[in-house]
Amino acid sequence: MKTGAGEPALVDEAAWDALPGMLLMLDRTGALLHANADAVRFAGRPLAALQGRHWQDLLAPPALQQLLAALHGTGDFELELPMQPAGAAADTPAWVRWAGRWQAAGQHWLCLLHDAAAARRSEAEARAQAALFRLLADNVPVLIAYYRASDFQCRFANKAYAHTFGTDERAIVGRTFAEVIGAEAAAQIQPSVDMVLRRQQAASYERELVRADGSPRWIDVNLLPHVAEDGETTGCFVLISDITRHRLAERAVRASEERLAKFMQASAEGIVFHHDGVITDANPALCALIGYRLDELLGRRTLDFVAPDQHVTVMAMVSSAAETPYESVLLDKSGQRIAVEFIGRTLQHQGQAMRMSIVRDIRDRQAAQARIHHLAHHDALTGLPNRMAFMEQLQLGMAAADANGSRLALLFVDLDHFKRVNDSLGHLAGDALLRIVAERILGCLRATDRVARFGGDEFMVLLQGIGSPEQQRDDVDQVARKLLAVIAAPLIAEGGPISVAPSIGVAFYPGDARSADELVQHADNAMYQAKARGRAQHCFFDPGMADTAYAALVLEGQLAHALERGEFELYFQPQQRARDGALAGAEALLRWNHPERGLLTPDQFIPVAERQRLMLPIGQWALREAARWAAAWHAQGLAVAPVAVNLSTVQFQSVGFVEAVAQVLKEEGSPALVAGLLELELTERMLMDDLGEVKHRLQRLKAMGLGIAVDDFGTGYSSLSHLKELPIDKVKIDRSFVHDLPGNLDSAAITRAIIEMARSLGITSIAEGVETEAQRDFLVARGCDELQGELIGRPMPAAALQQWVQARWPA
């Protein structure tokens, strides 16, 4: 800097400009006394423009004030201030580091300025790197810390590490590792720490921690030495991995293996492990099943214990790693075959694929299945094939007959009056009889013949390979006669001899049918034809039977619509008091006005109606119609009472029959009045079915005011004890006895006995079928109470009966 004339120079300008960096000379007020070339270039203005206080516009006011404050003192100072040289952007000031020293001799400040931007950038980069490192350390799945070797104080820890030990990443700095992990844990790991610090070797160990909730946590710790350039260990890096999941998984595996081992030992089913077909383990149940010790099994091939005929199947299932259960056969130590079920599973064990097979003994199951199959195809009582199995055999036999040109005969065997055995001796005796019959049938047949219990008291016999069409009847006739004889032979049951006679129907294939069902149906038809001939007979199927069966089928269809078309009608036959000829009542007799065949009597359609359960609605209609006419005649003053109505077995035994009768009485007027005008007729056989239930029903009907009569008396099997227990008002002597009076001594004796019995029991006797004066005279002389028959009056429509009564007994 130049001075005025005669004034000494303040600085050596050449020396100043040679100095590195920017150099300023300021007084205490901050006025610029001198600046070197570097400072002038930084300011971007001539020196003259900077002298005095002009240079101060390079500083923002806050920075200027800070500098002026420092200039007022006398001690050295260092400041870092933002400056705005010429050409610099307003938002990017240049940071300059000021170092000032007071020059007391010259009473001025000598200030050395350095550009601080590079240092600031380095510092910013360092901070950014530190932040990035912190971010990385806090987000890696590893616990990280650094401890100083000199005092074991923590100098750095990531968030996960600090939180694991109950603090944060700032508070943990300065704490020793003993303070962080606890004195006890520190003592345990001290050998590892010593290895790192003294030997400068990495160390690792596992530790188990306990979480706040009491659950365990396992960590894998790695200690890495930090060695300085001088070879001294300055610190230790700590890297911790949480291996809780792995340890828990290992625990689960061990627990699973323990459970599996216990299961293997406790399982009642055999379990075997094998690798590449070689046995590696087996449980006691398997050893017990096949009779080998475990040491005898280990190392041997699984196929050694599988039946040879099963090898291909087992090898295919194992090689395909199939896990579908399948049945096979093992061989025990004695060579016996054992039916088993294999359930295979492929699993990993110690890095190897193993095969586990569950071996289930299925001998009991197969026996049960065989038993179920037997029961499904055989009758439980006799052991014979049942209906389903026999039909299968029949179809196979027919197919074989078609193939080889042979012939078959089907015998339908039905036991006559078998129900009487059950009713009189009980079902146990009936079952014993059926078993004996089955044995007798089997005993008189060939091994190639087939026998089945078709149901109830019905048996089927299939004769195969019988003779030619010309000879077949003779051959089967001999068999049928032999069966009739052996079945009917008496046997001892309940202490006495009993016997049943069969009826047998025969049908041939080919010839009588084209299908199995048709063959059975035709044999059935022939059997009923045999019964019609007097029972204990056999009968061959005739095509005419099919016509009869078809006619019955047509009749069934017509019967179903007869009621709704109003084709039924009641006829009434008068009944006469024997002693004075007065009208004693009338019997209602059902007739069918068939649209094609004319008037049909009950014997022409009742059997068909009973088989199809059409007697329920028909019988109900007849009862209602009889009640209606009885009530109408009573209202007209005609003494046509009681009106007798026949009941069918199906009708009387039906559920709700008594209630149905009560409903009819209610519908036709006063129930008590109408009941007194009606009489219900049951056959003697209907009384035998279930004495207790029959008695209960009759008592209920009797309580309503209805009369009870027994029809066809003398043809059934009732006893005096039955009659004595039942509320019966009247017995009807069957027309078969009356027809032979008075000449037939047996009929006369039976008729006389019935009349005497009825009188002794206080029951009214009535004879039906009276057609001659001689019959009437005999009956009147013997004390019969009432008479019915064509001699008295023929059955007639209701209107005709009304005229008949009015003509004889005018009001």
Side-chain angles (χ1 to χ4, degrees), residues 334 674 787:
S334 63
V674 178
L787 309 173

Side-chain angles (χ1 to χ4, degrees), residues 416-431 433-434 457 494 498 500 649 653 684-694 716-719 721-722:
D416 300 334
H417 302 307
F418 177 73
K419 188 174 185 302
R420 194 187 315 164
V421 176
N422 277 338
D423 292 342
S424 58
L425 300 179
H427 288 282
L428 292 179
D431 290 347
L433 176 60
L434 289 174
D457 58 352
E494 297 297 322
I498 62 170
V500 290
T649 302
Q653 293 179 347
E684 189 177 2
R685 292 180 181 178
M686 290 165 62
L687 304 178
M688 294 289 296
D689 289 334
D690 186 340
L691 182 61
E693 179 62 22
V694 168
Y717 304 91
S718 61
S719 63
S721 62
H722 284 152

Side-chain angles (χ1 to χ4, degrees), residues 454-473:
F454 221 51
D457 58 352
E458 298 173 343
F459 294 86
M460 282 289 188
V461 177
L462 179 63
L463 306 180
Q464 305 185 76
I466 61 174
S468 64
E470 297 77 16
Q471 190 182 353
Q472 65 183 10
R473 280 184 173 253

Side-chain angles (χ1 to χ4, degrees), residues 106-127:
Q107 292 294 302
H108 61 262
W109 286 95
L110 188 62
C111 297
L112 184 63
L113 282 63
H114 293 283
D115 185 358
R120 276 188 167 260
R121 281 194 301 271
S122 297
E123 184 179 345
E125 290 174 359
R127 283 198 299 271

Side-chain angles (χ1 to χ4, degrees), residues 519-535:
L519 190 64
V520 171
Q521 181 182 355
H522 289 174
D524 188 25
N525 290 340
M527 183 271 295
Y528 277 106
Q529 193 69 22
K531 285 184 180 291
R533 293 180 180 179
R535 305 180 187 272

Side-chain angles (χ1 to χ4, degrees), residues 66-100:
Q66 188 177 356
L67 176 61
L68 294 176
L71 294 175
H72 284 347
T74 58
D76 296 347
F77 67 86
E78 288 187 7
L79 295 175
E80 192 170 300
L81 301 174
M83 298 183 68
Q84 195 71 34
D91 58 347
T92 57
W95 288 89
V96 178
R97 181 174 296 278
W98 290 66

Side-chain angles (χ1 to χ4, degrees), residues 592-609:
W592 180 10
N593 290 306
H594 194 280
E596 299 170 1
R597 298 169 58 184
L599 191 67
L600 300 182
T601 56
D603 59 311
Q604 295 175 285
F605 62 87
I606 289 298
V608 176

